[in-house]
Each structure stands twice: as structure tokens, then as C-alpha cells.
Amino acid sequence: MDGGPGADAQDRLSVDDLVKVYAIDDQFLQLRIESGSPLLPQTLGQALLQCRFGVIVVAVSRPSRGDAAVKPALVQTKYRAGDTL
């Protein structure tokens, strides 16, 4: 099980697994975007979180049909209420 991009869903590493593998648990935070957040309806690129706060968003977890899909954070990713960064 390598967990790479071409791996089957059941073979992919979870976010928690990746945090442990890369030993970044002391530097890794998950933040949830609530409705009414000033981040809405901005994109990752528009929010400038790295420039303004030194925050690097690596992924966005978006609930869909009872399962939270984790996707890479892209500059064109538009934030939605309920997203976890």
C-alpha cells in the first residue's frame, strides 16, 4: 500500500496517517469554515492565507453524501461552509 494518487480509495492513506508518516503532528491543524466566515465565498487564491497569516492549506475536506472527500488545495478552490482545511 503506497497511498499514491493512483491508489484505490481503500488503499489511500488518511489525513491522520499522512500527518504521522511525515511527523508533522505538532505543526498540523484542521480548521472548519463555518457559515458567515469572512473566507466565504473566496477561493484559496483570493484569501491569501499564506501571505497574511503564514498558513499553508494543503487540502480541503468537503462533506458529500455522508463521506468527507479530501482534495488537494488548489488556488481556484472556492471555500464552502462546512469545509475543513
Side-chain angles (χ1 to χ4, degrees), residues 30-37 39-40 59-64 67-70 77-85:
Q30 294 184 48
L31 306 171
R32 184 181 179 114
I33 299 177
E34 301 292 337
S35 60
S37 168
L39 292 174
L40 301 173
V60 176
S61 175
R62 182 166 289 161
S64 67
D67 186 24
V70 177
T77 301
K78 191 174 229 178
Y79 294 129
R80 296 182 193 166
D83 284 352
T84 301
L85 312 180

Side-chain angles (χ1 to χ4, degrees), residues 34-58:
E34 301 292 337
S35 60
S37 168
L39 292 174
L40 301 173
Q42 297 182 69
T43 64
L44 174 63
Q46 293 167 329
L48 300 172
L49 294 177
Q50 185 174 6
C51 294
R52 294 170 63 203
F53 304 107
V55 172
I56 299 171
V57 179
V58 296

